[in-house]
Every structure is written in C-alpha cells, then in structure tokens.
Amino acid sequence: MILEKIEQRYKSLSRQQKLLADYVLKNPKEVMNSTSKELAEKSGVSTATVVRFAQQLDLDSFADFKIAIASQLSSGKVIVDTVIEKDDTSKIMSEKLEQVYASSIQKSFSMIKEADLNHAVELINKATHVYILGVGTSGLIAYDLYHKLNRYGIKTFYETDAHMNLEFLTNATKDDVVVAISYSGKTKEVGIGAEYAKEHHIPVIAITREDTPLVENSDVCLCIPDNERTIRVAAIASKISTMYITDLLFISVMQLRYGGMKESAIRTNQLINKLKEK
C-alpha cells in the first residue's frame, strides 16, 4: 500500500519531501483531484519535489502516484491521521488509536520472515538461559517477556537496572541466548550488551528496525516497522509493534514446548492460588 510505504520511508525523506508526505498522509483524497502543480502549492513545495517524490516511491510518474492512491482508497485501507489535535473529540481520538493499533500490527505482520522467526524460536528453545536487554519503553516490553518465559519454566534474566543487566550477562555462555530489544537500535545499554555477547559467541536475537546498528551484532533479527514519525504523540506505534513480535516469539516457543510449559503454568497457578485461600 502506497500510504504505508510513505510512512516507512518518512525518516529518509528531505525536509521538503516530509512537508509533502505530511499533506498526502493527511489528505489522500485531495491528491486524487490535484495536478502536480496544485499539490505542490497545497503542500508548500515545488512541482519538481512532487515529481521526484513519486519516483522515490518506485513509481514512474505523478500519474502512477495518483493511481496508487486511488487503489488504496478504493480498498478501504486508508491511514487515519493519528496526530492528536486540540479540538479532537473522545470518539475521534478513539478512532485514531484504533488505527494505530491495527496499522502497527498489520505492518509488523507483513515484515515477519518465517525463517528468522523459526531460527529465533530454536535459539530460545535450546538455550540454557535467556538474557533480555531493553530500557525505557523497550524495557517495559522486556519485563513482560521476562515474566512470561519464567512463568512457563524457561530460566530468564532481566533487571530494570541496566548495570545489573550487564552484570548478569557476564555469566552467560554460548549455550545461552540474548534477546536485545530496542526500537532505535542505538540504545547504549542494549548495544553494549549485544556487542559483548557477539564477542563471546553468545547468540543474539535482535528486535529492532531493520536498518539499525543493533542488527549488525545479532544472529537473527525480528524486524519491526519504522512507523514512529516525529509529529506523532508518544511511542505508541513502536510499542505495539515490538510487543506483537515478543508475544509472537513467546507463543511460538510455548507451542514447541507445549507439554512441559503447560505443567509449569499449572504449578505456578497452584502456588499463587494459595495466596487467595482464606
């Protein structure tokens, strides 16, 4: 879909192209009724920028760009502008958030490579221990994955203190695996851990965007879409995409270990239920 392609390539666009991209994403129907000159005037760029923009999206001409927009509009799969405006009603904000959730999962699903997912699942399944790295929003997702894996009998290490996380990692061996989570792929606390793991031949599963430094220090990357534009509010889309991937990784491992993990869950529930006894 052309609008999703614009979202994906947004960060690599020039300042003028971003002005045009912002206008197109917010007003796709207007593109249908505009010439290249009219669209340039409406978005505050030159006509040449409009033409080059279409070409950068792998289209031969502005006419092909309009056809691509028309095709997406007719399919009903249109990106709702998710910038929060001052006069948005609760209903409008709800619709925008629903679109963020749906779009984030759809984009993440489209980027999944089955071979990479299977490789990551195999690494976790055969690992003696799992070490998870992540800070900030990625840290919240790391903490969630840490509890899920431990709950189902997979010995996992994660600490919200990044220094402690690196301390844990010094005990890892080549029989373990590291799950490094970072949307930017440039988080120092995660990058240092991934570099250490690579130097010591410890397998690394990276959950990040496909063009980040973290990918270079990983054995397998479960890539998430580059869908967090600076004009958007908070890291909602990246959080949803990342959690979708970690949950997919978890249930895939659970499926592989179904019998043993089921017994572990039963034991955990039985123990916790004792807290509820009067």
Side-chain angles (χ1 to χ4, degrees):
M1 293 293 181
I2 190 66
L3 298 180
E4 282 76 11
K5 183 179 284 190
I6 294 173
E7 286 269 24
Q8 284 291 301
R9 300 189 182 184
Y10 188 83
K11 286 187 178 179
S12 65
L13 300 177
S14 67
R15 186 176 64 83
Q16 289 294 304
Q17 289 174 331
K18 285 180 179 178
L19 287 176
L20 177 57
D22 289 341
Y23 183 84
V24 171
L25 290 171
K26 191 171 184 178
N27 308 282
K29 292 182 180 179
E30 293 296 320
V31 177
M32 298 295 304
N33 304 313
S34 303
T35 64
S36 58
K37 183 178 179 181
E38 289 170 341
L39 180 58
E41 292 174 349
K42 292 175 182 177
S43 57
V45 302
S46 67
T47 304
T49 297
V50 173
V51 175
R52 286 196 298 269
F53 184 72
Q55 294 172 341
Q56 190 163 333
L57 294 171
D58 306 317
L59 300 169
D60 293 330
S61 65
F62 178 67
D64 289 333
F65 179 60
K66 292 176 68 171
I67 291 173
I69 293 289
S71 177
Q72 180 155 358
L73 290 177
S74 64
S75 73
K77 296 180 179 180
V78 183
I79 294 178
V80 175
D81 181 48
T82 54
V83 177
I84 303 301
E85 304 289 355
K86 184 178 180 179
D87 57 351
D88 281 349
T89 64
S90 297
K91 185 176 186 301
I92 290 175
M93 286 192 291
S94 178
E95 291 174 347
K96 289 182 176 181
L97 188 58
E98 186 275 336
Q99 177 64 28
V100 170
Y101 272 63
S103 177
S104 298
I105 292 175
Q106 184 180 44
K107 292 174 185 177
S108 300
F109 174 78
S110 68
M111 293 186 70
I112 294 171
K113 295 180 181 178
E114 189 173 2
D116 289 340
L117 177 62
N118 291 340
H119 186 190
V121 170
E122 181 184 356
L123 287 173
I124 291 178
N125 183 54
K126 71 179 184 180
T128 304
H129 305 103
V130 177
Y131 293 83
I132 306 179
L133 303 173
V135 297
T137 300
S138 295
L140 297 175
I141 298 168
Y143 192 60
D144 176 74
L145 180 61
Y146 156 74
H147 275 290
K148 284 175 178 171
L149 293 176
N150 268 315
R151 183 182 180 88
Y152 285 88
I154 297 178
K155 188 64 175 178
T156 306
F157 295 91
Y158 176 74
E159 175 57 55
T160 53
D161 185 321
H163 292 186
M164 289 292 293
N165 249 355
L166 294 178
E167 182 179 317
F168 290 157
L169 194 56
T170 60
N171 295 314
T173 72
K174 63 181 180 180
D175 296 321
D176 300 321
V177 66
V178 173
V179 180
I181 306 173
S182 173
Y183 174 75
S184 69
K186 300 176 182 179
T187 307
K188 190 173 183 179
E189 295 87 343
V190 176
I192 289 175
E195 289 176 6
Y196 174 87
K198 183 176 182 180
E199 290 171 359
H200 291 80
H201 309 291
I202 305 165
V204 177
I205 300 169
I207 300 177
T208 185
R209 293 182 291 113
E210 59 185 352
D211 59 346
T212 70
L214 184 57
V215 175
E216 299 174 5
N217 287 315
S218 67
D219 294 88
V220 57
C221 180
L222 301 178
C223 296
I224 52 180
D226 186 353
N227 55 9
E228 207 64 71
R229 291 200 285 143
T230 56
I231 61 173
R232 302 298 161 109
V233 177
I236 297 175
S238 58
K239 181 183 70 175
I240 297 302
S241 295
T242 306
M243 184 161 283
Y244 171 79
I245 293 299
T246 56
D247 281 348
L248 178 60
L249 185 59
F250 167 71
I251 63 174
S252 298
V253 174
M254 186 173 67
Q255 180 189 40
L256 200 59
R257 293 190 173 196
Y258 183 76
M261 294 182 83
K262 182 179 179 181
E263 292 176 5
S264 179
I266 292 174
R267 290 196 301 271
T268 301
N269 288 334
Q270 288 175 339
L271 181 59
I272 292 176
N273 283 338
K274 289 182 180 295
L275 297 172
K276 303 175 184 179
E277 296 176 359
K278 294 183 179 180

